[in-house]
Amino acid sequence: MNIFVLLKQVPDTESKIRISPDRNNIEKNDFKWIISPYDEFALEEALRTKEALKAGTVTVLTVGPDRAVEALRTALAMGADNAMHVKTESDNLDTFLVSRALAEVLKKENPDFILTGKQAVDDDQAAVFGYVAEFLNVPSVSGAIKYEVAPDRKSVKAYKEVEGGAKHVIEMPFPCLVAFTKGLNTPRYASLPGIMKAKKKEIKGATLADLGLASIEPTVKDSDYQLPPERQAGKKIPGDGATQARELVRLLREEAKVI
Amino acid sequence: MIDFTLSDEQMALKEMVRKFVEKEIVPVAKHHDETKEFPHEVIKKAWELGIMNVAVPQKFGGLGLGVFDDVLISEELGAGCLGMTTSICVNTLAIYPILLYGTDKQIEQFVTPLLKEPKLASFCLTEPGAGSDAAGLSTQAREDGDHFIVNGSKMWITNAGHASLFTVFCTVNKELKQKGIICLAIPADAPGISLGKAEDKLGQRASDTRAIQFENVRVPKSHLIGKMGEGFKVALRTLDRTRTPIAAGAVGAARAALGHSIRYSKERKQFNQPIANFQAIQFMLADMSTKVEAARLLCYQAGWCLDNGKEVEGAYFSAHAKRFAADMAMEVAIEAVQIFGGYGYTKEYPVEKIMRDVKLVQIYEGTSQVQRMVIARHILKD
């Protein structure tokens, strides 16, 4: 089975956000970069599927600037077999163009099964999985927590959790795409032997021009970033219990307007 | 020509161990410090990640990493818990004698099993009456046909209570001093071996430390590592390789103490401002930082020498690295407690544990005084 996992390299969620002077981007120089956690759940599931079936290959694919190679190396060290990188100059492509690039590569590679995260944790757009499935004309489901490959390896059952703890099970024939939410698995660490082996694995590169996409301009442009207002200091109500309670109710009613 | 950049793999290795430490070691370090409970789970996970026994050559199924990579691993582990670092790293100390002086057959017999299962091994050199004067050891190995009969006792043996293999230094004739010493690989379940109780230590309480008694333990001569009388050299060459990662563990612990101090001094307010605004604190932090950086460079230099066939320089720089890193980590940890003030003196905050843990680095694997002897001998040599 030819499994593809679509990854995005994103800033560590603990990174401190600073806006660039022209306000249309974020200062990225000091960031620590990681694989987007939802994509990491997808990768872990893909690796487990391969191990359970004792067959198939797992290829990780990303679109991004040079530094995105680190995310691919990490994925290789975790156990992915192959890696492909669509190299871009800018790291501010819109989701449409990124999805076009991913789809162009996938068309050539003919995967049976495509896994990814339901969204990247940097811009939270949750758009790429849908575009990619559409461009490839394959069925897709988003927000899955697990899946089961059919014994004949021709279809997959994806499980979603819906409101109230109910389960929603969706069956799709291969080829298809499953986009993961925080799943049941704990992604493995890249092991030391894995890191050593990853060194010898080749990362196949391509550019947007190679994919015939050089002339497409991003249609979405970031125009203004704003940080949330600084949080106000808390308020301490003095006095004895009865006074405090009265004042608290007054503030909740008149200032916070919640009761 | 000089290049301080790490390779991509080394960066990935550091990152992986750092993540492991954050998720698996830091959350349980306090528990193991308080209870003295042996961290079996953490060791098993470290083994699964492949960060134990890293020096085993590839032809025996290992990774064949050098001292430098071991230094990177140790620093990251040391930043989490020095006691666990000691327990995780001691396999390397125990198996280096076999890797350096053993035959292929001996490596397969004694070392390969450690790669197949998360088993532990202990290095048994120190005795109740032979610490810094290691050559004065008196555990006796008497020849008896195709066996040695071992009698005596060893002291402060890390992981002894959980090990499956001991590399034991004995003397065939005490009058021969160094030249009478041999190294034997002895399975921990050999009849005649008994263990002392786990020591109740000031720090590094997650590591297991015990005395071992050998009473008429029969060891086949095929377990002799290296030649007759070569044992002392086996021990020294082993220690030349493991001293630097031990130093790096102290660098990690000091780095952690510094990190805690930086965060705390930005949060803690006195006189209506964060104490990090005060030059008194700033200078303490700056000095701590210089010490950490300098010690790390000595570790890197020693590791690089040993990996590049420079044995004499490697031994020399590793003595510097161990001495300096151990002493500086102690100083940095004490300063960290000072910056935390009263809070630092309580177990609610992490710096007092570091202070207790790093003290041992000035003592084990060659005290800071022994390292100074090595350095002095080197620089006074004609």
Side-chain angles (χ1 to χ4, degrees), chain A residues 12 14 32-34 40 69 73-74 77-78 186-196 198-200, chain B residues 8-10 12-13 15-16 18-20 22-24 45 48-51 54 58 63 65 69 73:
Chain A
D12 190 332
E14 282 169 23
K32 197 181 132 202
W33 297 90
I34 58 168
E40 211 178 12
V69 165
R73 286 266 173 233
T74 304
M78 284 168 73
T186 307
R188 66 195 64 192
Y189 299 102
S191 73
L192 186 44
I195 290 170
M196 297 299 146
K199 180 166 67 171
K200 293 181 195 114
Chain B
D8 287 350
E9 293 72 43
Q10 287 169 332
L13 161 67
E15 193 50 44
M16 178 269 278
R18 184 176 297 202
K19 211 166 151 185
F20 170 73
E22 255 169 43
K23 293 206 173 141
E24 311 289 346
K45 285 176 189 163
E48 281 165 4
L49 276 189
I51 56 178
V54 292
Q58 291 182 356
L63 292 168
L65 297 189
D69 293 320
I73 295 172

Side-chain angles (χ1 to χ4, degrees), chain B residues 64-127:
Chain B
L65 297 189
V67 176
F68 193 96
D69 293 320
D70 218 358
V71 161
L72 298 178
I73 295 172
S74 280
E75 180 184 332
E76 294 308 323
L77 290 174
C81 172
L82 212 47
M84 292 191 206
T85 308
T86 299
S87 268
I88 290 171
C89 295
V90 100
N91 266 27
T92 299
L93 173 64
I95 63 178
Y96 250 127
I98 309 171
L99 298 178
L100 291 172
Y101 288 89
T103 60
D104 284 7
K105 207 175 145 217
Q106 286 174 326
I107 295 175
E108 276 158 17
Q109 183 181 357
F110 301 114
V111 179
T112 308
L114 305 176
L115 299 177
K116 296 198 169 137
E117 272 178 81
K119 288 184 168 179
L120 298 174
S122 298
F123 178 84
C124 311
L125 175 65
T126 301
E127 298 184 354

